[in-house]
Amino acid sequence: MKLYNTLTKKVEDFVPNDGNKVGMYTCGPTVYHFAHIGNLRSYIMEDVLEKSLRYSGYDVKRVMNITDVGHLSSDADTGEDKMLKGAKREKKTVMEIAKFYTDAFFADCAKLNIKIPDVVEPATNCIAEFIKMIEGLLEKGYAYVAGDNVYFDTSKLESYYVLSSQNEEELMVGVRDDVDEDTNKRNKTDFVLWFTKSKFDNQELKWESPWGVGYPGWHIECSAISMKHLGEYMDIHCGGIDNIFPHHTNEIAQSEAYIGHKWCNYWFHVHHLNDKSGKMSKSKGEFLTLSLLESKGYNPLVYRMFCLQSHYRKPLEFSYEIMDNVAVAYNKLLKRVSELKDDGAVDENVFAKMKQKFLDAIGNDINTSMALTVIYDVFREETNDATKKALIASFDEVVSLNLLAGVVEEKTQIDSELEVYVLDMIEQRKEAKKNKDYAKADAIRNELLEKGIILEDTREGVKWKLA
Ligand code: AMP
Ligand code: ZN
């Protein structure tokens, strides 16, 4: 299997450290809001990577964190904790927000046929591991305490910018967005390992540590969580391209300083999904969710197919026109598969030949559009239907488009998680009004509004729409 490696900036043969065992790590979501379909593009393509490795015969163990603490508004450790921001927005506790959006994330994954990684670990489960690693970094002289925070000292490294070819100044501009410079840092690229002091001292979740009561930085969680479950050597680490700097750069810095040798050999980065106005981002507050696509009548798997039609290393622009075309193509494909008959034994020669073609496509740096073409090629093979059906069932282990599910009825009803949630809130608001608890009724309306859901009191009852 050949994969592009951000570390070497080359397409390389993928060779795991230990025979056919693969240790794979994915940076999980920051659960302060719904995942947008850009985030989901990354998770779909990482799911295809995992399934391609398994299909190619590797024994994969995949680990993912859930970021429920420490990811500040700017990736460069400044601003408010994103989780606290979410909690304030919705007048809930951080843990309530984390639970709600973690559940919403996995509900989206289920609809998109994204397999849940073998290990999913929330950052707040691993405080002891973070502290141990930070202590180790202090002992080895790679970290220092300043202004009551613990920082990683990037000047102690031979080279820091191992993942990016951009120059230093360009990268730092991206990081400095909303920044007030942190004057405790010895070097501008140093980053926080443990906070006890921040401008935002109302952090809800805090833990005892040798450096005082505080909370971990964002980057340390992925290093510590991956080592907890995959050990000191990892084969492949993935995320979206915005993670390359500073997040993955900092992960490499602290991990290799801590263990004293190379940590991860292959870095897989998915390029962004953009809309017409540019990169989709959760912090912009306005973004497309899977529930929104569903409310417009799209089957989530149409979005999966939309993603598979493009290479993961190219930016992808979202448009409803393309989604409509994909929806038509998807339904046609399901119909063609449903018409295949069970007409005898599978022709092993044709099966092996076509399987090899499919393996070549995914083995060519996860060329998913080529893999889809191989699926269409199956129909043109001179063989019986049973062989074609067996091939498509086999390829569906990777593309996961439910190709054998039969034609799906056009959606007429919205049955998304979102709708269930909104209808429940509307019911609670009705109840509050009945009890003349207008403050509660308003609070419910506002909570929905903060999630971009608008309620309208009409003569036919309460209606809702997305802002
Ligand atoms: P977050 O929840 O913000 O930590 O992001 C979750 C994942 O989505 C990370 O791997 C990001 O790199 C990735 N991501 C963020 N924005 C986009 C986008 N517009 N397109 C694709 N992936 C993205
Ligand atoms: Zn990470």
Side-chain angles (χ1 to χ4, degrees), residues 339-358:
E339 285 163 1
L340 294 172
K341 294 183 226 28
D342 292 314
D343 57 356
V346 172
D347 180 333
E348 295 301 338
N349 287 335
V350 175
F351 189 93
K353 180 187 85 178
M354 293 307 284
K355 182 169 176 178
Q356 191 53 52
K357 240 179 135 177
F358 185 82

Side-chain angles (χ1 to χ4, degrees), residues 141-154:
Y142 282 105
Y144 58 91
V145 178
D148 293 334
N149 291 335
V150 187
Y151 292 87
F152 185 89
D153 187 346
T154 52

Side-chain angles (χ1 to χ4, degrees), residues 27-32 36-43 46 67 71 82 218 238-243 270-274 279-282:
C27 293
T30 309
V31 283
Y32 72 112
H36 56 63
I37 57 171
N39 301 129
L40 295 171
R41 179 192 188 197
S42 285
Y43 294 108
E46 290 157 0
T67 298
H71 192 172
K82 290 187 177 190
W218 172 40
C238 26
I241 43 160
D242 58 306
N243 283 163
V270 181
H271 281 241
H272 279 157
L273 179 84
N274 302 311
K279 182 196 157 215
M280 219 166 279
S281 107
K282 273 193 238 180

Side-chain angles (χ1 to χ4, degrees), residues 199-349:
K199 225 170 55 179
F200 298 92
D201 55 3
N202 55 348
Q203 184 77 3
E204 212 176 280
L205 300 177
K206 291 185 194 176
W207 294 266
E208 292 285 347
S209 83
W211 318 284
V213 175
Y215 59 100
W218 172 40
H219 315 295
I220 195 77
E221 57 178 84
C222 291
S223 295
I225 292 175
S226 71
M227 282 183 210
K228 177 175 173 186
H229 298 287
L230 298 170
E232 286 188 8
Y233 293 91
M234 199 205 306
D235 294 297
I236 186 157
H237 190 132
C238 26
I241 43 160
D242 58 306
N243 283 163
I244 295 176
F245 185 84
H247 185 49
H248 289 166
T249 304
N250 291 348
E251 280 187 36
I252 294 174
Q254 67 203 0
S255 298
E256 298 193 350
Y258 181 67
I259 55 185
H261 56 76
K262 191 166 178 196
W263 175 48
C264 175
N265 289 330
Y266 299 88
W267 289 81
F268 178 93
H269 289 107
V270 181
H271 281 241
H272 279 157
L273 179 84
N274 302 311
D275 57 20
K276 287 202 173 66
S277 65
K279 182 196 157 215
M280 219 166 279
S281 107
K282 273 193 238 180
S283 51
K284 272 199 213 161
E286 238 176 68
F287 50 80
L288 294 169
T289 60
L290 192 65
S291 299
L292 180 74
L293 295 188
E294 283 186 287
S295 73
K296 290 181 185 288
Y298 294 102
N299 178 338
L301 295 181
V302 168
Y303 180 62
R304 186 172 171 110
M305 183 151 161
F306 171 93
C307 292
L308 297 191
Q309 285 189 344
S310 293
H311 196 252
Y312 76 90
R313 265 194 310 121
K314 291 206 178 103
L316 178 58
E317 186 168 307
F318 180 79
S319 90
Y320 285 110
E321 294 74 30
I322 303 174
M323 279 291 284
D324 288 339
N325 293 338
V326 178
V328 171
Y330 179 61
N331 283 324
K332 270 195 195 155
L333 181 58
L334 293 185
K335 187 156 179 292
R336 284 178 85 177
V337 179
S338 72
E339 285 163 1
L340 294 172
K341 294 183 226 28
D342 292 314
D343 57 356
V346 172
D347 180 333
E348 295 301 338
N349 287 335

Side-chain angles (χ1 to χ4, degrees), residues 412-429:
T412 50
Q413 243 188 327
I414 306 166
D415 59 357
S416 65
E417 295 275 316
L418 179 65
E419 168 146 78
V420 173
Y421 163 73
V422 178
L423 293 182
D424 178 50
M425 293 297 273
I426 290 175
E427 217 30 61
Q428 285 187 38
R429 180 166 165 266

Side-chain angles (χ1 to χ4, degrees), residues 339-457:
E339 285 163 1
L340 294 172
K341 294 183 226 28
D342 292 314
D343 57 356
V346 172
D347 180 333
E348 295 301 338
N349 287 335
V350 175
F351 189 93
K353 180 187 85 178
M354 293 307 284
K355 182 169 176 178
Q356 191 53 52
K357 240 179 135 177
F358 185 82
L359 280 167
D360 290 346
I362 55 175
N364 180 7
D365 193 20
I366 314 295
N367 192 332
T368 46
S369 68
M370 204 194 274
L372 291 177
T373 306
V374 178
I375 294 177
Y376 285 100
D377 288 346
V378 167
F379 293 100
R380 291 210 304 254
E381 277 301 299
E382 291 202 10
T383 184
N384 62 354
D385 279 5
T387 307
K388 294 179 185 176
K389 214 168 163 176
L391 279 163
I392 287 167
S394 175
F395 302 161
D396 206 37
E397 288 172 30
V398 176
V399 297
S400 298
L401 291 170
N402 291 1
L403 293 175
L404 273 79
V407 183
V408 185
E409 290 292 314
E410 287 291 316
K411 255 182 159 319
T412 50
Q413 243 188 327
I414 306 166
D415 59 357
S416 65
E417 295 275 316
L418 179 65
E419 168 146 78
V420 173
Y421 163 73
V422 178
L423 293 182
D424 178 50
M425 293 297 273
I426 290 175
E427 217 30 61
Q428 285 187 38
R429 180 166 165 266
K430 216 162 103 187
E431 196 57 33
K433 275 186 162 177
K434 217 170 79 191
N435 299 331
K436 300 206 166 24
D437 187 351
Y438 297 110
K440 184 170 178 197
D442 284 346
I444 291 173
R445 177 195 280 277
N446 289 337
E447 178 176 336
L448 289 169
L449 203 58
E450 278 152 9
K451 290 195 164 103
I453 298 155
I454 299 172
L455 295 188
E456 282 169 0
D457 292 304

